[in-house]
Amino acid sequence: MEKHKEKNNSFIGIKHMEKKIEELNFNEVLSILPVRLRKILMKISSNTIKNVEEIRLRVNRPLIINVSGEDYFVTDTGIITKNKHNIIMVNKLDVETCFQLVTDYSAYALEEEIRNGFITIKGGHRVGICGKTIIEKKRVKTLKDISGLNIRFSKEKIGCAKKVIRYIIKSQNSIYNTLIISPPQCGKTTLLRDIVRLISNGVADLNFKGINVGVVDERSEIGGCYNGVPQNDIGIRTDILDSCPKAEGMIMLIRSMSPKVIVTDEIGRDDDIYALKEAMNAGVKFITTIHGSSLEEVCRRENISKLIKNKVFERVIILSNKPKVGTVRKIIDCKNNKILNDVLLYDRSETDYD
């Protein structure tokens, strides 16, 4: 009885903490919005807030918020709706003001980030940017006349990798080389981030003490770094190169930080593959992801197909969004050509994530 009570209190405590984090995330995003829009969005219900994934601002277009994968308009009373009548429209001043707040009135200082099409703000949230491109020496130098902003919420799901971690850990101080295959919007980066956290911190239940992890975060999505500091929990033994090209970053980490594992998101280029092979030659394990819906689809890419046929990847994890985002459809032991899970793996207590 006491154990049940303790477990129940623990569950309530976790849910209360998650609610506070959701509110903090929402407030961090509100701080970069113009006052007019901020006041309206502050009226949105707490049940809606916890499921907001994106806020989109486009000049002379409706204010759109994405909630649990669905787009909604917003009324001046903070009600979300699919109805196009009496909804909030975004004007040029709204977008300009938001952009100034995002860049802290110093767009020049963030020229490199703007060139890449997004800026990471405090909390690890990403603001995608559209406008007129300025080209110099056949490269995008910067953007001006900003016409659209996409504010994407950073959402951690601490513990979401528990369902797969036992398939990835090989011994007390080693893991299997792992490839995560996932269609867009199926939670691969969220899962990858929590895998990094567990490998870095250790997993007592599996007698895994934790090892040094090097992360090359080319798109600032894994760590969500702000001023160089990860805003997401990626573990106590993790070193991160933010906004760094994957191939260069992997070589840099091998030379300087002595990682036992290197983690990247979305490999595909030939130089990425070359760097992975260099990591293998240095005795470093790796975990990475790739877009796709099946092993067969991924194998149509010649450079990836060679790695799979040569059994460079020891584990392949395939994600799906059915019955919900983050579902693990298959975990494959590539050495023995064996599927390790006989049922779909997903946490029924969790809300969707990506």
Side-chain angles (χ1 to χ4, degrees):
M1 188 73 164
E2 286 298 319
K3 281 186 178 180
H4 177 75
K5 186 177 180 182
E6 184 180 326
K7 186 176 179 180
N8 190 48
N9 288 338
S10 175
F11 177 78
I12 292 169
I14 290 170
K15 288 300 176 185
H16 178 72
M17 181 179 69
E18 286 178 348
K19 183 179 179 182
K20 290 294 182 185
I21 291 171
E22 287 156 1
E23 290 173 353
L24 175 62
N25 286 342
F26 199 70
N27 288 333
E28 285 168 341
V29 169
L30 286 181
S31 69
I32 63 166
L33 291 172
V35 173
R36 180 178 83 92
L37 300 182
R38 195 182 307 167
K39 287 181 177 178
I40 293 166
L41 292 177
M42 285 174 68
K43 299 174 185 177
I44 290 177
S45 71
S46 58
N47 283 335
T48 300
I49 286 173
K50 70 181 181 181
N51 293 314
V52 174
E53 297 175 5
E54 294 178 346
I55 299 176
R56 288 184 179 265
L57 282 65
R58 299 180 177 98
V59 174
N60 299 331
R61 298 290 186 271
L63 174 66
I64 294 178
I65 67 171
N66 186 284
V67 182
S68 299
E70 291 282 334
D71 285 342
Y72 293 91
F73 307 116
V74 186
T75 69
D76 58 4
T77 57
I79 302 297
I80 64 169
T81 178
K82 293 279 190 177
N83 194 319
K84 293 182 181 179
H85 298 294
N86 300 319
I87 57 175
I88 299 300
M89 300 294 291
V90 175
N91 58 44
K92 188 171 179 59
L93 181 60
D94 291 327
V95 173
E96 288 176 347
T97 302
C98 185
F99 183 67
Q100 288 172 344
L101 290 168
V102 168
T103 60
D104 198 19
Y105 297 90
S106 183
Y108 179 79
L110 296 171
E111 198 169 81
E112 184 64 34
E113 287 90 338
I114 294 169
R115 182 187 297 128
N116 290 327
F118 65 88
I119 294 171
T120 304
I121 64 170
K122 187 177 180 180
H125 315 292
R126 288 201 344 171
V127 183
I129 308 162
C130 272
K132 181 178 175 59
T133 58
I134 306 300
I135 306 296
E136 186 177 274
K137 296 180 180 178
K138 298 182 180 181
R139 288 189 64 209
V140 175
K141 181 183 179 183
T142 189
L143 291 168
K144 71 173 190 176
D145 300 333
I146 306 304
S147 59
L149 299 169
N150 176 26
I151 305 166
R152 188 171 186 184
F153 284 69
S154 173
K155 294 201 172 189
E156 288 187 275
K157 289 293 178 184
I158 301 295
C160 70
K162 286 182 179 179
K163 58 183 176 282
V164 300
I165 196 64
R166 68 188 180 93
Y167 298 103
I168 295 172
I169 289 175
K170 185 176 186 178
S171 64
Q172 287 186 351
N173 59 2
S174 184
I175 66 158
Y176 292 107
N177 292 332
T178 301
L179 176 67
I180 299 172
I181 299 173
S182 171
Q185 301 285 307
C186 282
K188 67 176 174 54
T189 304
T190 303
L191 180 66
L192 182 65
R193 183 188 302 124
D194 203 49
I195 289 171
V196 170
R197 181 186 66 84
L198 290 172
I199 290 171
S200 177
N201 287 348
V203 184
D205 292 349
L206 300 175
N207 198 26
F208 184 77
K209 296 179 180 179
I211 53 181
N212 291 333
V213 182
V215 175
V216 186
D217 198 3
E218 186 169 9
R219 299 174 62 191
S220 302
E221 288 187 313
I222 302 171
C225 289
Y226 176 71
N227 291 338
V229 180
Q231 302 295 287
N232 296 318
D233 184 356
I234 53 174
I236 61 175
R237 297 179 181 86
T238 302
D239 299 299
I240 187 165
L241 286 174
D242 183 49
S243 301
C244 180
K246 285 184 279 291
E248 293 177 50
M250 284 187 266
I251 301 301
M252 288 170 65
L253 286 171
I254 291 167
R255 290 173 178 169
S256 61
M257 302 308 294
S258 302
K260 290 289 184 71
V261 181
I262 284 180
V263 175
T264 69
D265 204 0
E266 298 180 15
I267 63 160
R269 296 191 296 264
D270 287 341
D271 53 353
D272 297 341
I273 307 304
Y274 173 79
L276 278 182
K277 290 177 179 177
E278 287 295 299
M280 283 180 56
N281 292 336
V284 178
K285 294 292 187 175
F286 55 84
I287 302 174
T288 189
T289 71
I290 191 168
H291 278 304
S293 58
S294 67
L295 194 57
E296 293 73 23
E297 179 185 331
V298 168
C299 281
R300 292 181 197 135
R301 304 174 209 182
E302 187 178 350
N303 55 3
I304 302 296
S305 178
K306 287 180 180 178
L307 295 179
I308 292 170
K309 287 177 180 177
N310 292 330
K311 301 189 185 297
V312 170
F313 296 111
E314 299 166 283
R315 294 286 185 269
V316 170
I317 297 172
I318 303 175
L319 300 185
S320 170
N321 60 2
K322 296 177 182 179
K324 63 186 295 183
V325 170
T327 296
V328 176
R329 190 157 58 89
K330 288 182 183 178
I331 301 175
I332 302 171
D333 175 349
C334 296
K335 184 178 179 180
N336 299 303
N337 295 319
K338 180 181 178 183
I339 296 175
L340 299 176
N341 62 311
D342 53 3
V343 294
L344 297 177
L345 301 178
Y346 62 96
D347 190 336
R348 291 161 177 79
S349 68
E350 291 284 353
T351 54
D352 287 352
Y353 57 85
D354 186 71

